[in-house]
Amino acid sequence: MDSMKILICRHGSDVLVVRLVGGIKLFDVFRKICDRWDTLCIGRFSLSYVLEGCNCKLVDEEDFDNMLYLCPDSNRIYGTVEEVRPSIALSGGSTMAVTVGATGVLEDMDMEEPLEEFCRHSETRVTAKCKFGKCEWRVHAILDRSSGEFVIKDLLNEHRCGSTYRRNKHKRVTSSLVASEIASMVNQNNNTSPMHILEFFADKYGLDLPYYHAWLGVEKARGKGFRNKLVKLFNKIAYAPSVASYNVCVTKFCDHGGAKAKTFLASVPKEHWTNAYFKGKRYGEMSSSAIESFNNWVLEARRMPVMNLVDCLRSKIMVQMSKRREDSATWISEIGPVMDAKLKKRIEKGRAWRVQKSSTGVYEVKSMPAVVVDLEEGTCSCGSWQYNGFVCAHVATVLAKTCGEEESMADYIDPFYHVVAYQQTYEDKIHPVLAMDIPDFTQGTSLEIKPPRNRRPPGRPCLKRIRSRGEECTARPRKCSRCHQLCNHNRRTCTEASKD
């Protein structure tokens, strides 16, 4: 114990003690420093110690071994940790702060000409040169481990390729990059044309884009911004728990979608797809995903003849009902295990909420936002209890904190979720069919089912999708090259008066 050395590292007002035993290395010390202070990482700080009045930096393992050799009699070594901001040392002694890493060297440099091609790069060095022609532009930088700075060893910061614009076919300027750059522009003005995008990139970045990349970028930006937001607003309308919230969501949807959005909502009965106007309970089902699940379940049987298809469906349903009948016979709770797990999660979610009683059966739950629960009327201001038939987190919290027994919650849950209803669904049995009762269609009997008579209709096949009710077939406005207006005609059919 007397020969054990201790390194005391001080960073600001905090202190870290590291025992230098067990063949510890300098990298292990750096890792302990990073674990102690979350704001530091390797390459962003320097470690030094005092030897005979001089500050000695620990850069590599050799410096660490020298420290242990030069301090044989001292059991305590005092070190200082100082945060270092990485930077690039430019010509003339100036520096520029960058992110530690190979790509950060060139991304944060303010070059006179745009874009350069990476030749070789790693965590400690990077080399790049100009891509076009016989230009001599070149940069080579190396990471200085002692200071965490990328030092440029060789730099020729002057392009001699004779062009300040990008070539058309540049692999980095893709339509996805264009879409991400112009997303906000297209959201503000949905009539943004590809010509506007070409001018925007030429003025701001000096890039000469091909027209196809600009057009495809506009289409992707519209899909990511305008359409995605429209779908989110439509989902909010469908899940709105009350008429007031429904009207607010409809107003936002129509403001964003315009006249087409109003026409679409008017053509669909709101009693069929919204929670606010639906008469009854949805039991958590808002889409036709159950139909798609069944379709995938019988995917192989769909390719069979009619009699084989029916027999395959009978066999699959018979096995499924038998299995579920046996599984439900072992359940001991009043509701199914799946919904029981959801109930426990909702009780756990509301453990930190406060419940205040207003009157008999009426409670206020201090959640975000606060809601009102009426146990006698079976309502919650969030609306989930009414149209799902299953208690929400607010009702579960009220029942758990006021009743004290979770078993009493089954009385406030719709009988649809009870185990008894589940068992009654699968109590009937599908009896097997004997082989002698199945007709043999291979012997050419009169019961032979022939394939349908399909005759190809005259004319070319239809290539356009049949639009649904309320979906107008309106062409998107385009810019006429003669009158320079957004309209539905072109230069040949333009009837506007010439400005010449």
Side-chain angles (χ1 to χ4, degrees), residues 155-172:
L155 173 63
L156 181 58
N157 196 18
E158 181 180 357
H159 283 268
R160 299 180 182 179
C161 51
S163 175
T164 58
Y165 281 79
R166 278 289 161 215
R167 302 299 191 267
N168 287 340
K169 297 181 180 179
H170 196 281
K171 61 181 180 180
R172 292 188 180 181

Side-chain angles (χ1 to χ4, degrees), residues 69 122 212:
Y69 178 77
S122 63
Y212 175 75

Side-chain angles (χ1 to χ4, degrees), residues 6-10 15 47-51 67 74 76-80:
I6 296 177
L7 177 61
I8 303 176
C9 304
R10 181 181 298 274
V15 175
L47 177 61
S48 60
Y49 66 98
V50 179
L51 179 63
M67 180 190 69
S74 177
R76 296 184 180 182
I77 304 176
Y78 295 90
T80 304

Side-chain angles (χ1 to χ4, degrees), residues 102-118:
T103 58
V105 178
L106 299 180
E107 288 177 355
D108 293 349
M109 288 185 61
D110 187 13
M111 298 301 177
E112 297 177 359
E113 302 295 339
L115 206 58
E116 52 282 335
E117 182 188 30
F118 286 102

